[in-house]
Amino acid sequence: MKVLVTGAGGYLGGAVARGLLARGDAVRSFSRGDYPALRAAGVETIRGDLSDEDAVRRAVAGCDAVVHAAANVGGWGDESAYVRANVEGTDHVVRACRAAGVSRLVFTSTPSVVHDGRDLEGVDESVPYATRFSAAYPRTKATAERRVRAANDDALATVALRPHLVWGPGDPHLIPRTLERARKGRLRLPGGPPKWVDHVFIDDAARAHLDALDHLDIGARCAGRAYFISAGEPVRTDVLINAILTAHDLPPVTSRLPPAAFVAAARVAEATYRRLRRREEPPITVFAAEQLTTSHYFDITAARRDLGYAPQVTLASGLTRLRRAATPTPCTDPS
């Protein structure tokens, strides 16, 4: 099978591409940047932007399936940029699949499409889309996911995956930001009742995409549906953050702020940055504050049943691998 992976230069997209290669599939990458390591691994690489529909069509042509993992991610930024990448770019991928006769499309979504700033505790896919979003990212991903699911028909089978809090060695988002703030003494945890969150190790998140490809077909049970993807092992937010710090030989964070103070500080920071027309992300966003101060964990029964998904990496084993990756290898050269 020849599979196009959009965003293969990214963390999750790259893991999906490597997983496909490992089992013998041919892989083509479509990304904005140049990634020599992908070419060295045997991936056919094409540079382009999702906003360029002709470029997307050229990338999809000749493929048997598409994993659309590329997205504009974050809790801050110009909404039009998120619309171009996440909504219009996804529309381009869907139309390119139809033009090329591709019959399987796996879309990487996010559980944030159902998060409205309140607790989500053990919910399944019957929970409705949020009607209020604190950032352009979840809002545009919700629109894109709806369109991908609606595109499912007797010529193109589609499925959306919602991996939650993807982490592991090489993570460019959660872990480096957590470490940076901790080292600067700026990391705080929310007080109040404990909040629990889902997470998924990078290997399992990538494996879920391969499972979806293998089970997706015209008329399949999973076609046109969305699935939460996690380790199936919710953990307290403070425990997860401090475990990451410990894996990097940093002391745990004990300083806490009331949840309302987190959100209030984020609102002030965002308002200040907008007034000053600053383009960089504020120290904390409302999106991040709401994620930190609420529970959000999910029932993954449907993914187990319909996709054959079975998470392999527990929190404990993942942290062991994270520590090994963070620990420099001792020099054994006697000279």
mmCIF file of all heavy atoms in Angstrom, residues 247-269:
data_model
loop_
_atom_site.group_PDB
_atom_site.id
_atom_site.type_symbol
_atom_site.label_atom_id
_atom_site.label_comp_id
_atom_site.label_asym_id
_atom_site.label_seq_id
_atom_site.Cartn_x
_atom_site.Cartn_y
_atom_site.Cartn_z
ATOM 1 N N ALA A 247 11.628 12.685 35.651
ATOM 2 C CA ALA A 247 12.345 11.954 34.603
ATOM 3 C C ALA A 247 13.500 12.763 34.043
ATOM 4 O O ALA A 247 14.418 12.208 33.436
ATOM 5 C CB ALA A 247 11.389 11.564 33.474
ATOM 6 N N HIS A 248 13.466 14.080 34.255
ATOM 7 C CA HIS A 248 14.541 14.957 33.772
ATOM 8 C C HIS A 248 15.362 15.523 34.936
ATOM 9 O O HIS A 248 16.022 16.550 34.802
ATOM 10 C CB HIS A 248 13.954 16.095 32.932
ATOM 11 C CG HIS A 248 13.393 15.636 31.621
ATOM 12 N ND1 HIS A 248 12.122 15.115 31.507
ATOM 13 C CD2 HIS A 248 13.924 15.607 30.367
ATOM 14 C CE1 HIS A 248 11.891 14.788 30.242
ATOM 15 N NE2 HIS A 248 12.963 15.079 29.536
ATOM 16 N N ASP A 249 15.287 14.828 36.080
ATOM 17 C CA ASP A 249 16.074 15.194 37.270
ATOM 18 C C ASP A 249 15.786 16.610 37.758
ATOM 19 O O ASP A 249 16.685 17.322 38.228
ATOM 20 C CB ASP A 249 17.579 15.020 37.006
ATOM 21 C CG ASP A 249 17.963 13.563 36.783
ATOM 22 O OD1 ASP A 249 17.383 12.697 37.471
ATOM 23 O OD2 ASP A 249 18.818 13.298 35.924
ATOM 24 N N LEU A 250 14.531 17.017 37.639
ATOM 25 C CA LEU A 250 14.099 18.304 38.167
ATOM 26 C C LEU A 250 13.181 18.067 39.365
ATOM 27 O O LEU A 250 12.442 17.076 39.403
ATOM 28 C CB LEU A 250 13.357 19.104 37.097
ATOM 29 C CG LEU A 250 14.205 19.599 35.921
ATOM 30 C CD1 LEU A 250 13.319 20.233 34.871
ATOM 31 C CD2 LEU A 250 15.262 20.581 36.396
ATOM 32 N N PRO A 251 13.206 18.968 40.345
ATOM 33 C CA PRO A 251 12.363 18.782 41.527
ATOM 34 C C PRO A 251 10.889 18.961 41.192
ATOM 35 O O PRO A 251 10.539 19.705 40.263
ATOM 36 C CB PRO A 251 12.850 19.874 42.488
ATOM 37 C CG PRO A 251 13.417 20.927 41.591
ATOM 38 C CD PRO A 251 14.035 20.191 40.434
ATOM 39 N N PRO A 252 10.013 18.311 41.929
ATOM 40 C CA PRO A 252 8.579 18.471 41.676
ATOM 41 C C PRO A 252 8.108 19.879 42.001
ATOM 42 O O PRO A 252 8.718 20.587 42.804
ATOM 43 C CB PRO A 252 7.935 17.445 42.617
ATOM 44 C CG PRO A 252 8.940 17.246 43.708
ATOM 45 C CD PRO A 252 10.276 17.383 43.046
ATOM 46 N N VAL A 253 7.024 20.276 41.356
ATOM 47 C CA VAL A 253 6.434 21.584 41.608
ATOM 48 C C VAL A 253 5.397 21.452 42.710
ATOM 49 O O VAL A 253 4.530 20.568 42.669
ATOM 50 C CB VAL A 253 5.766 22.135 40.332
ATOM 51 C CG1 VAL A 253 5.027 23.436 40.633
ATOM 52 C CG2 VAL A 253 6.808 22.358 39.259
ATOM 53 N N THR A 254 5.508 22.310 43.710
ATOM 54 C CA THR A 254 4.550 22.285 44.816
ATOM 55 C C THR A 254 3.706 23.551 44.870
ATOM 56 O O THR A 254 2.676 23.589 45.534
ATOM 57 C CB THR A 254 5.289 22.120 46.158
ATOM 58 O OG1 THR A 254 6.237 23.183 46.305
ATOM 59 C CG2 THR A 254 6.019 20.779 46.203
ATOM 60 N N SER A 255 4.131 24.614 44.191
ATOM 61 C CA SER A 255 3.415 25.879 44.205
ATOM 62 C C SER A 255 2.102 25.755 43.435
ATOM 63 O O SER A 255 2.087 25.241 42.314
ATOM 64 C CB SER A 255 4.274 26.985 43.582
ATOM 65 O OG SER A 255 3.583 28.194 43.563
ATOM 66 N N ARG A 256 1.024 26.218 44.035
ATOM 67 C CA ARG A 256 -0.292 26.089 43.417
ATOM 68 C C ARG A 256 -1.044 27.407 43.429
ATOM 69 O O ARG A 256 -0.841 28.250 44.303
ATOM 70 C CB ARG A 256 -1.108 25.008 44.133
ATOM 71 C CG ARG A 256 -0.505 23.611 43.998
ATOM 72 C CD ARG A 256 -1.302 22.587 44.771
ATOM 73 N NE ARG A 256 -0.652 21.280 44.706
ATOM 74 C CZ ARG A 256 -0.908 20.352 43.782
ATOM 75 N NH1 ARG A 256 -1.827 20.602 42.856
ATOM 76 N NH2 ARG A 256 -0.280 19.204 43.772
ATOM 77 N N LEU A 257 -1.914 27.547 42.439
ATOM 78 C CA LEU A 257 -2.791 28.704 42.346
ATOM 79 C C LEU A 257 -4.237 28.226 42.260
ATOM 80 O O LEU A 257 -4.505 27.157 41.697
ATOM 81 C CB LEU A 257 -2.474 29.532 41.096
ATOM 82 C CG LEU A 257 -1.173 30.333 41.066
ATOM 83 C CD1 LEU A 257 -1.012 30.973 39.699
ATOM 84 C CD2 LEU A 257 -1.163 31.392 42.158
ATOM 85 N N PRO A 258 -5.185 28.982 42.784
ATOM 86 C CA PRO A 258 -6.595 28.613 42.611
ATOM 87 C C PRO A 258 -6.931 28.516 41.122
ATOM 88 O O PRO A 258 -6.434 29.315 40.317
ATOM 89 C CB PRO A 258 -7.355 29.757 43.282
ATOM 90 C CG PRO A 258 -6.372 30.364 44.231
ATOM 91 C CD PRO A 258 -5.024 30.207 43.580
ATOM 92 N N PRO A 259 -7.756 27.549 40.733
ATOM 93 C CA PRO A 259 -8.105 27.405 39.310
ATOM 94 C C PRO A 259 -8.613 28.693 38.675
ATOM 95 O O PRO A 259 -8.255 29.016 37.538
ATOM 96 C CB PRO A 259 -9.194 26.323 39.332
ATOM 97 C CG PRO A 259 -8.889 25.530 40.551
ATOM 98 C CD PRO A 259 -8.361 26.496 41.559
ATOM 99 N N ALA A 260 -9.433 29.440 39.400
ATOM 100 C CA ALA A 260 -9.962 30.685 38.844
ATOM 101 C C ALA A 260 -8.850 31.680 38.544
ATOM 102 O O ALA A 260 -8.936 32.458 37.587
ATOM 103 C CB ALA A 260 -10.976 31.303 39.808
ATOM 104 N N ALA A 261 -7.790 31.643 39.368
ATOM 105 C CA ALA A 261 -6.667 32.558 39.152
ATOM 106 C C ALA A 261 -5.919 32.201 37.875
ATOM 107 O O ALA A 261 -5.418 33.089 37.168
ATOM 108 C CB ALA A 261 -5.722 32.512 40.349
ATOM 109 N N PHE A 262 -5.831 30.909 37.576
ATOM 110 C CA PHE A 262 -5.190 30.484 36.332
ATOM 111 C C PHE A 262 -5.913 31.090 35.130
ATOM 112 O O PHE A 262 -5.296 31.695 34.253
ATOM 113 C CB PHE A 262 -5.235 28.952 36.218
ATOM 114 C CG PHE A 262 -3.954 28.277 36.590
ATOM 115 C CD1 PHE A 262 -3.803 27.717 37.843
ATOM 116 C CD2 PHE A 262 -2.906 28.177 35.697
ATOM 117 C CE1 PHE A 262 -2.630 27.080 38.199
ATOM 118 C CE2 PHE A 262 -1.735 27.540 36.032
ATOM 119 C CZ PHE A 262 -1.586 26.993 37.294
ATOM 120 N N VAL A 263 -7.225 30.904 35.093
ATOM 121 C CA VAL A 263 -8.006 31.376 33.957
ATOM 122 C C VAL A 263 -7.988 32.897 33.885
ATOM 123 O O VAL A 263 -7.859 33.491 32.800
ATOM 124 C CB VAL A 263 -9.441 30.833 34.030
ATOM 125 C CG1 VAL A 263 -10.267 31.361 32.861
ATOM 126 C CG2 VAL A 263 -9.442 29.304 34.029
ATOM 127 N N ALA A 264 -8.101 33.551 35.048
ATOM 128 C CA ALA A 264 -8.096 35.012 35.068
ATOM 129 C C ALA A 264 -6.768 35.562 34.561
ATOM 130 O O ALA A 264 -6.728 36.529 33.786
ATOM 131 C CB ALA A 264 -8.370 35.517 36.486
ATOM 132 N N ALA A 265 -5.664 34.954 34.997
ATOM 133 C CA ALA A 265 -4.347 35.399 34.540
ATOM 134 C C ALA A 265 -4.204 35.224 33.040
ATOM 135 O O ALA A 265 -3.610 36.064 32.348
ATOM 136 C CB ALA A 265 -3.253 34.621 35.270
ATOM 137 N N ALA A 266 -4.749 34.127 32.515
ATOM 138 C CA ALA A 266 -4.682 33.885 31.076
ATOM 139 C C ALA A 266 -5.484 34.924 30.300
ATOM 140 O O ALA A 266 -5.050 35.413 29.249
ATOM 141 C CB ALA A 266 -5.188 32.485 30.763
ATOM 142 N N ARG A 267 -6.643 35.280 30.810
ATOM 143 C CA ARG A 267 -7.460 36.284 30.126
ATOM 144 C C ARG A 267 -6.757 37.642 30.103
ATOM 145 O O ARG A 267 -6.774 38.347 29.081
ATOM 146 C CB ARG A 267 -8.827 36.401 30.807
ATOM 147 C CG ARG A 267 -9.686 35.153 30.669
ATOM 148 C CD ARG A 267 -11.117 35.397 31.112
ATOM 149 N NE ARG A 267 -11.863 34.155 31.198
ATOM 150 C CZ ARG A 267 -12.333 33.471 30.165
ATOM 151 N NH1 ARG A 267 -12.145 33.940 28.937
ATOM 152 N NH2 ARG A 267 -12.996 32.340 30.332
ATOM 153 N N VAL A 268 -6.147 37.989 31.227
ATOM 154 C CA VAL A 268 -5.414 39.256 31.285
ATOM 155 C C VAL A 268 -4.237 39.228 30.312
ATOM 156 O O VAL A 268 -3.985 40.202 29.583
ATOM 157 C CB VAL A 268 -4.928 39.526 32.722
ATOM 158 C CG1 VAL A 268 -3.962 40.714 32.744
ATOM 159 C CG2 VAL A 268 -6.113 39.796 33.637
ATOM 160 N N ALA A 269 -3.502 38.104 30.289
ATOM 161 C CA ALA A 269 -2.342 37.990 29.398
ATOM 162 C C ALA A 269 -2.760 38.114 27.940
ATOM 163 O O ALA A 269 -2.129 38.832 27.149
ATOM 164 C CB ALA A 269 -1.633 36.664 29.639
#
